[in-house]
Amino acid sequence: MAADSTLLLSLVEEFVSGLHDSKAKDAAKGVKDGQFTILQLVEALGLSLTSSQPQTRARGVQLLSEVLQEIYGDLTEREVEVLIAFYENRLKDHYIITPPVLRGLQALTKSRALPPGSAVSMLRSLFQDVHVQSLMLAERACVYNMLINLMETREAELKGLGADFVFGFVQSMDGERDPRNLLLAFQIAKNIILRGYDLGKFTEELFEVTSCYFPIDFTPPPNDPHGITKEELIQVLRAVLTGTSKFAEFLLPLIIEKLDSEVQSAKLDSLHTLTGCVSQYEYKDLAEFLEGLWASLRREVFQTSSEKIESAALAALTALTSCLSRSVLSSDSDDSLSIFLDLILKDCKHHLCEPDLKLVWPSAKLLQASCSGSNRASHIITAAVMPSLIEQYNSRTQCSHRRTLLEVVQRFIQSVKTCRSSDESVFSAYRASLCSMVFSALSETNASLQITATSVLTSLAQQTGLLLDSDIELAVDHLIRLLLTEEDESVSLAVVECAGALAELHPAAFITKLIPRLKQEMFFDQMEASEQHSHHAVRQQCMSALAAVSIQPSVVQASTPVLLEVLSSAHTGCVSFSVDEVVLACRSLQRIAEQVQDGEETGRCFHDVIIPRLLSLALQGALQGDRSSDHRSPLVEEVVLSAMVPVISTSCSRLQPSLAGQTASRAVSLFLNGDVSFLPDNSFPSHIQLLGKQEDSWSQSQLVCLLMGCVCSLPRSVEIPHIDQLLSQLEDMSCTSSHLLSYTSAAKCFAGLVNKRPQGDSLNGLIQRTVTRVCSELDCPSSPVRTQAFTLLIWVAKALLLRYHPLFTALTDKIFSLLDDTDLGPMAADSFLLLMSDSADVLNRSCNADVRIMYRQRFFSENSAKLVQGFNAAPQEKKPNYLKALSNIVNKLPKQVQVTELPALLSLLLEALTCPDQGVQLSTLSCLEPVLINPPQVLIQQLEALVKRLLALICSPVMNVRIASIRCIHALSHFPAHEVLPFRARVLRTLAQPLDDKKRLVRRAAVQARGEWFLLGSPGGR
């Protein structure tokens, strides 16, 4: 014990003397380890704490406080009580002792052993003996943290202080300026308000001490380590000001005053605060300020200079209307909502009837915002406004006026839709008139009026009870007429969109009327050459409409047979459909597969009808192509098969697990064994070998792309039957076929299956066998299938890269080695773009592939050094391949990674700018541009070489290269002036040439860049 006592005295003496501040941690460790107690430490500090020198006393208290910050959780209630009494007494001591005292008290407020009544005692001493705003920043933060800690753990005791606690806090906060402490102070004020502390007679004082910061005007310094933002301060202060209706009499006049400000941010903050506060208020809180608030809101909408402010003002008006709608009516009180709405109608309604309609939109927006406030408000506004709007529409003859009025009506319908309305729409009384307006507008020849009418029709359909069955049928008739006769593309798009929205709500009319009529039009075989173009456009509109309306399962079951019949008729030749029209049919089927509602019914439709029908038609086309008949089926065209693939893959990716398993089994059985039993129109030969060796039968072998669509998009949980045999035959086809689509699709399918295969020896063995076979072909310069082997290599590499498979490195090294190959070098350079890009038809997340996050960054970090080494070692004629590979890799990296990593590759990028390949030039320039905004030092050191290469590219024959190089030159003008000033004359001379470029975009970029360089070093410039 004597040794411990000696140690303690030694620690105290060394700390108090100022020799070793680290002794505080040693003392804390001693208390934690039980070598001595906290009270023994206080006794050891006796001489220091009673010294006549304030500095000595302050060091003694500082040691005690630093120890308490480490061990406050281990204190007993008796120890805490003694320490609080000691610290309260020290608050009356010399001012230099106050900071360590506050730190000690803050530590004690976190103790779980705080005695009852001690919180009140501490705060009374604090408020009485300490003038908080005379303290330094850190000490003021101590006070605020003490209050926060006590509010969390001793709320009942603090509430027992009554309004004295609020008064003490107001005194402590008054005059605070540091944003870090303001966040703490606002949090305390928020807790006072939201947790029901008694404000007493200090309500106005609490409001004044917080509202003096409203609106927040704070710009954080650059590279602020504290990370405090203006938005943070705004949100916390807003929570304070809007937290209680007791602030209403002070806050609302302040908001009205701030809305008169010329500062946009102040207006915006005031409007958001008004929206927030009225949700807490009642009519009595708002009554005397309603006229002033309305005048301010009306001004902000009528004279707005900012869309943000206009939107905020409208939102505030909606909140205000909603607040008044909640007020309880009594027999002897006025109807506050009606009074307020009368005010709005008085100022806005007459503008809807003015001949020139100049103020119709601001007035309509204000009325619509009021409508959105409540169901009752929407009834009052609608009853006052709608008759006038309908009368105006019927009396106007100009299409522009009628369109404006129709748009206003639509906005009213949409604003009411947001309310919690009853089953009957507020527009029910005007149903017939509204329908008449819409149908008359659809019958007009003015395109903009027709487009607006389709939007209003959609809005009416979304309201309960506004369209009867007869109205829906009439609407469908109008839509059919416009689809088949309208030549304006914008009108056609609007009609298709409207048809899709209505079909989702009212499918029956579209099944019985629209789909049969469109089918009839599509299968009308127009033979005259002069009308072929227009008929193609009509067919295109019909297919787009069929896709748009096919959302409900019942509609899908009616529309998809029509599109499948297009493919069948094109195949047989009984109706003439062009290849482009067949592709459009496939794309419409794909859109249906993407948007249709999930369910057993739609899954069955695709599994039992659509996928088998597509496979059957494709197979019939392939067999007919082999027979070389007079009529060549368009279904053997690559563009058609490529359009079929996403239909099948999208369908399979959304199938239920049981149906997905059956689809996999059927597809594999068809391609491995020639099993056609599940296909409709089963008149196929008995022996079909779609994956076997076929001499010159490319029309059959290319169907492997459909197999890819079937099996590579299924969920990873679905087991593919006969997977080993399937992979073997796919590998054989990809390495032996001479048909581009066939061997590419086989390689993709092989890669898609490898990507999803479970990790293990089986997968590793498969990859090693494939790599051995591929390398044997690639290493033989005379091999006739080197291109096919390389295609398989790159797709397998991508499959492994996406899932971080360890064997990927071996494939990468092989690809790098091929950059020096005379024949395959350019193809190897291009392959890096495939590795880094998203694939549309396989190996993507929508196909349920195994894709890990940040695979591009990982590939770059592991292989960039290899690329640099290969470039340095390569002969001069092979270097362009390395530059192109680098450009393809870097261009697909996220911009943040590019900015970080490019300085290390700068020398190669500068070389890439001299590469004759214009694609390399463009991608390199796009990589450099974001780096030039905040240039690293290594870039400034290479400025001479960079400027020389960029100026040379200004004369490129490719427009995009010229524009990109000029933008980079523009960015250089923002470099430190003393670094770029020597290049000014040369740059201005070179930029004079593109000022006369034949392309407007080049001229515009040149003017902007040259203007910046002219200002460089000039009076008034940089």
Side-chain angles (χ1 to χ4, degrees), residues 472-597:
I472 294 294
E473 292 189 3
L474 183 56
V476 173
D477 289 338
H478 278 288
L479 295 176
I480 292 172
R481 175 181 57 80
L482 290 171
L483 279 170
L484 300 181
T485 61
E486 186 55 56
E487 296 182 358
D488 188 299
E489 186 178 352
S490 58
V491 175
S492 298
L493 289 173
V495 170
V496 169
E497 185 179 350
C498 177
L502 264 65
E504 187 173 7
L505 300 167
H506 305 281
F510 287 83
I511 293 172
T512 57
K513 298 195 73 170
L514 182 134
I515 293 177
R517 183 69 179 86
L518 295 186
K519 178 181 178 181
Q520 177 186 345
E521 191 65 30
M522 288 165 60
F523 284 88
F524 174 66
D525 200 0
Q526 181 61 258
M527 297 305 294
E528 294 184 22
S530 61
E531 299 182 10
Q532 283 293 335
H533 177 72
S534 61
H535 192 54
H536 171 73
V538 169
R539 281 179 168 176
Q540 183 177 356
Q541 289 300 325
C542 291
M543 292 183 199
S544 297
L546 285 175
V549 301
S550 301
I551 298 175
Q552 295 283 6
S554 57
V555 182
V556 171
Q557 292 178 353
S559 63
T560 50
V562 178
L563 294 169
L564 290 171
E565 193 172 339
V566 171
L567 303 183
S568 178
S569 299
H571 165 64
T572 59
C574 60
V575 178
S576 176
F577 285 96
S578 67
V579 170
D580 289 341
E581 289 167 347
V582 175
V583 170
L584 281 173
C586 291
R587 288 178 181 164
S588 297
L589 285 169
Q590 179 188 353
R591 182 179 171 189
I592 294 172
E594 290 170 346
Q595 71 187 16
V596 68
Q597 297 174 355

Side-chain angles (χ1 to χ4, degrees), residues 785-812:
V785 292
R786 293 187 81 208
T787 301
Q788 291 89 321
F790 180 77
T791 302
L792 179 59
L793 172 69
I794 194 63
W795 279 105
V796 174
K798 184 174 180 67
L800 300 183
L801 166 63
L802 295 179
R803 60 180 288 177
Y804 292 170
H805 194 281
L807 291 179
F808 168 70
T809 306
L811 280 72
T812 311

Side-chain angles (χ1 to χ4, degrees), residues 772 774-783 786 814 817-818 821:
T772 301
V774 166
C775 290
S776 67
E777 298 290 353
L778 293 174
D779 293 340
C780 178
S782 60
S783 173
R786 293 187 81 208
K814 185 62 182 176
S817 70
L818 291 172
D821 190 279

Side-chain angles (χ1 to χ4, degrees), residues 860-872:
F860 175 79
S861 63
E862 291 179 354
N863 295 288
S864 57
K866 296 178 185 177
L867 199 58
V868 174
Q869 291 169 6
F871 173 82
N872 293 331

Side-chain angles (χ1 to χ4, degrees), residues 343-407:
L343 206 60
I344 297 173
L345 288 166
K346 178 184 175 183
D347 288 343
C348 296
K349 182 180 175 182
H350 64 279
H351 290 306
L352 302 181
C353 305
E354 292 175 353
D356 56 3
L357 300 177
K358 283 183 178 177
L359 293 175
V360 67
W361 271 119
S363 302
K365 288 177 180 177
L366 288 165
L367 290 167
Q368 289 152 6
S370 305
C371 261
S372 300
S374 70
N375 188 35
R376 186 163 155 250
S378 67
H379 276 280
I380 295 172
I381 296 287
T382 303
V385 169
M386 286 307 298
S388 174
L389 287 173
I390 294 170
E391 180 186 352
Q392 284 286 306
Y393 180 86
N394 292 328
S395 64
R396 300 279 178 167
T397 56
Q398 290 187 30
C399 286
S400 60
H401 288 174
R402 301 186 85 184
R403 186 192 74 240
T404 300
L405 290 165
L406 207 55
E407 288 173 347

